[in-house]
Amino acid sequence: MQYFNFDPYSLPPEAEELRKEVRAFLEEELADYPAVLRSRSWSGKSAEFSRKLGKRGWIGMTWPKKYGGGERSFFERYAFLEEVLAYGAPVGSHWIADRQSGPTLMRFGTEEQCHRILPGIIRGESFFCIGMSEPDSGSDLASIRTKAVKTDGGYVINGSKIWTTGAESCDWMIALVRTGNNPENRHQGMSQFLIDLKNSKGLTVSPIKNMAGEEHFNMVVFEDVFVPEENRIGAEGDGWKQVTAELAFERSGPERYMSSIQLLIEIIREAKLQPDARAQEQIGRLVAHLATMRRMSISVAGKLETDANPALEASVVKDLGAVYEQEIPEIAHRIGRGEASMTALSDFEQVRAYLTQAVVSFSLRGGTREILRGIIARGLGLR
Ligand SMILES: Cc1cc2nc3c(=O)[nH]c(=O)nc-3n(C[C@H](O)[C@H](O)[C@H](O)COP(=O)(O)OP(=O)(O)OC[C@H]3O[C@@H](n4cnc5c(N)ncnc54)[C@H](O)[C@@H]3O)c2cc1C
């Protein structure tokens, strides 16, 4: 029987130094940024803001200097992320590239791909999206049908991807597609490709409206899209191994429990107007849970620093984190007096209205609750 391993780590002094610098920068840049936009958290986007972060060296912070990265520690990156998330800064344009596409390329891509692609990410000029889910394949990702067929100098791709966050504005997609078929083993015969979204013929990107009326994700249809050989990531057929590693990056950061943090801030502000014992008790609970999750999540960052594999612990943090993020609007409804409304005058009511609609998706994106619990059970040797 295996157990979770959340060794305690503390953020080192250089991470706390960086935190001060980031905080001062955010206060200067975003002093007038409205609360309801802050509540978009890492979904809020501004290409201009991403470029400003790039200039400061705050994208690709842990990556090698030879690509333009900062070679800083995962702890420094953690402190940076905590600050931008607590502030609700619009980091969405470069988020996926920084969190997972860049690390995927460094791990599985060629040196040529890294030199070609990573400097643009680091400057905050090159944005990425993830092409995994398909209309009939979500949790059961191994059932994807989008297919790449070998041709002269590359591959021709046909099929479709769905729920692709940011495809409308990104430069690149990393797509998981079928390059072969083995009825005996569905996990074989998949490969990952870099798809140039701005310059490929045969691609159609159509927005899908979410419950809050926003157009964040898309349907992407491939009709005879040519992808050159040099844009295949890793060996043909290694796609499954690569995406499972990528999903561990996707599940490990503070964004997995801080997405509703603006509402906690607004709850505290609201409770200060008319303090009562019930609100105090609820806020106390939320803050205590936040502190515990933070400690668990920093432990995952510590594992990344030592090259240990934190896939199991990252799944635990993401699952508990989504429960927590979804609980905050519930508590806001118990404490709040007025109607939650996007057109309300108070920040509290607007943020409450937005997050009430948004949190539903937090236990779906990046792997659903049921799937994560299955991974946790397997990690513990229970299945
Ligand atoms: C906001 C948002 C952004 C997203 N962005 C992206 C993106 O950028 N790129 C991308 O590729 N995808 C993206 N997705 C898609 C996301 O990864 C899928 O929605 C998710 O993996 C679930 O797949 P599905 O929607 O097909 O649901 P299904 O897999 O059909 O699941 C439906 C329900 O059945 C349950 N279920 C399924 N299988 C099992 C099982 N074996 N045991 C128990 N329960 C099970 C699920 O937990 C879920 O509750 C995004 C989704 C959201 C909500």
Side-chain angles (χ1 to χ4, degrees), residues 42 133 138-139 163 165 211 217 247 250-251 256 318-319 322-323 325-326 357-372:
W42 46 287
S133 308
S139 303
W163 316 124
T165 303
M211 211 163 77
F217 42 33
L247 286 168
E250 185 174 347
R251 291 173 180 151
R256 292 304 185 184
K318 181 183 179 300
D319 183 40
V323 171
E325 290 171 339
Q326 291 175 339
Q357 296 174 84
V359 291
V360 181
S361 68
F362 295 177
S363 51
L364 296 172
R365 61 183 187 186
T368 68
R369 174 163 293 147
E370 290 74 19
I371 294 304
L372 287 173

Side-chain angles (χ1 to χ4, degrees), residues 42-43 96 99-100 128-141 161-167 173-174 210 216-218 247 250-251 358 360-372 374 383:
W42 46 287
S43 303
I96 287 171
R99 180 181 67 184
Q100 68 198 79
F128 273 68
C129 62
I130 305 161
M132 292 191 195
S133 308
E134 295 187 5
D136 296 313
S137 308
S139 303
D140 185 15
L141 193 58
K161 294 288 170 186
I162 196 167
W163 316 124
T164 322
T165 303
M173 172 195 280
I174 294 188
N210 70 13
H216 267 303
F217 42 33
N218 301 270
L247 286 168
E250 185 174 347
R251 291 173 180 151
V360 181
S361 68
F362 295 177
S363 51
L364 296 172
R365 61 183 187 186
T368 68
R369 174 163 293 147
E370 290 74 19
I371 294 304
L372 287 173
R383 63 185 279 247

Side-chain angles (χ1 to χ4, degrees), residues 59-60 62-71 102 105-107 109-123:
I59 303 178
T62 60
W63 304 356
K65 289 203 166 128
K66 65 177 172 176
Y67 306 130
E71 288 190 10
L105 283 174
M106 284 185 286
R107 197 150 167 196
T110 62
E111 205 48 31
E112 182 277 325
Q113 286 169 343
C114 289
H115 280 289
R116 174 157 53 104
I117 305 280
L118 299 182
I121 297 181
I122 290 165
R123 289 195 302 272

Side-chain angles (χ1 to χ4, degrees), residues 370-383:
E370 290 74 19
I371 294 304
L372 287 173
R373 289 183 181 177
I375 293 172
I376 295 166
R378 194 174 302 120
L380 292 175
L382 298 172
R383 63 185 279 247

